[in-house]
Amino acid sequence: MAESFGSDAERYDRTRPRYPDAMVNRIIAAGPGPDVLDVGCGTGIEARQFQAAGCKVLGVDVDARMAEFARRSGVEVEVATFEAWDPADRDFDAVIAGQAWHWVDAAAGAAKAAQVLRPGGRLAVFWNVGQPPPEVSEAFAAVYDQVVPDALTARAYRQKMSALEGYSVLFTKAVDGIRQAGVFGDPEQWRFDWEQSYTRDEWLDLLPTQGDHSRFSPAELEELLAGIGAAVDAMGGGFTMRYTAVVVTAARTEARLGVGS
């Protein structure tokens, strides 16, 4: 499923939310230098943010279509899974992953990050977690229940737990992987709260890039977008999404591992 996002890389890049500048700046400040490896860089959304803050960024992504878009936007990218990627004796001050670390084996990924991080370098993996207002969740859930009741997104809107609680399993896996590597300091979680307002058209533009929407048939997607559009119209034509950017991070404490370690 990780490679499904490349089917419309331009839409993905246009609509997916960025990350708070405060988050980017804190990650940079916590590392020893400006050389950054971006795992699962996609179209280069976070890579460009780190570049704008003064970093030199190399991206790695499994999807050649996403990588090509990122290159056109000024990001150097190599196509591979992170686990199989060849660092060719290069090392970095930070290894980051935005909205992508759950596609990487957490233990193998942390060990690979340790191989390429300089002493004191930082692994920082992060997610934007969106939480719509309750009335918006209820309205959207009704549409998903009617059109695609068995979809993961439909179940997510129906659940009573918060979006952050739903993401907690990803945070825990990342922390466990870092600890298993045995060469990082204590993992930390940093939180950055922010908001973004969406018009009807902006939300409908974003929806096809989310979760399991690429698996819906064209007819299902058309009906879903019509229903969601009508729901947003009934709310006055827009709504505000509360986002929390959560970073799971730790610093490299020992000498780097050799490739065969």
Side-chain angles (χ1 to χ4, degrees):
M1 187 169 168
E3 294 179 78
S4 67
F5 299 116
S7 60
D8 194 345
E10 183 177 354
R11 180 196 294 264
Y12 186 96
D13 191 80
R14 178 177 69 245
T15 63
R16 281 296 184 110
R18 275 46 182 168
Y19 298 93
D21 289 340
M23 185 204 81
V24 173
N25 293 335
R26 184 170 179 184
I27 292 172
I28 295 170
D35 294 329
V36 174
L37 177 69
D38 184 3
V39 177
C41 70
T43 59
I45 290 172
E46 68 272 5
R48 295 192 300 271
Q49 289 189 257
F50 277 80
Q51 285 178 329
C55 293
K56 178 182 179 182
V57 182
L58 172 65
V60 177
D61 199 274
V62 70
D63 193 318
R65 298 164 299 180
M66 301 284 265
E68 180 56 31
F69 188 100
R71 292 188 189 107
R72 293 199 303 269
S73 73
V75 180
E76 181 183 353
V77 187
E78 298 177 6
V79 178
T81 63
F82 183 49
E83 296 91 333
W85 172 70
D86 180 9
D89 295 324
R90 291 167 291 183
D91 54 14
F92 302 87
D93 298 305
V95 173
I96 65 170
Q99 223 74 20
W101 197 247
H102 51 284
W103 301 116
V104 176
D105 180 278
K112 186 67 168 278
Q115 291 178 11
V116 301
L117 279 170
R118 295 165 184 151
R122 181 163 293 272
L123 173 61
V125 301
F126 43 88
W127 292 265
N128 266 325
V129 183
Q131 183 69 60
E135 64 275 14
V136 175
S137 289
E138 291 173 7
F140 287 177
V143 177
Y144 280 90
D145 282 344
Q146 180 178 349
V147 180
V148 282
D150 296 326
L152 292 175
T153 306
R155 295 200 293 271
Y157 277 120
R158 286 196 300 266
Q159 67 186 6
K160 298 303 181 184
M161 71 175 65
S162 70
L164 276 173
E165 289 175 304
Y167 269 72
S168 63
V169 64
L170 303 184
F171 309 151
T172 299
K173 284 183 178 179
V175 167
D176 290 346
I178 289 170
R179 286 182 171 144
Q180 287 178 44
V183 291
F184 289 96
D186 289 337
E188 302 176 56
Q189 287 190 32
W190 301 341
R191 172 175 174 160
F192 302 84
D193 296 314
W194 62 286
E195 294 183 345
Q196 181 164 327
S197 295
Y198 290 96
T199 65
R200 174 188 187 277
D201 289 345
E202 287 169 343
W203 187 248
L204 296 185
D205 198 20
L206 169 64
L207 268 191
T209 75
Q210 290 190 331
D212 52 355
H213 288 68
S214 64
R215 299 181 179 181
F216 301 159
S217 71
E220 287 173 333
L221 185 59
E222 181 179 1
E223 185 179 357
L224 179 70
L225 293 177
I228 294 294
V232 177
D233 284 341
M235 302 169 201
F239 66 96
T240 298
M241 178 77 81
R242 299 190 306 275
Y243 281 102
T244 300
V246 177
V247 185
V248 177
T249 183
R252 184 79 167 83
T253 57
E254 305 291 340
R256 290 195 308 276
L257 297 171
V259 172
S261 298

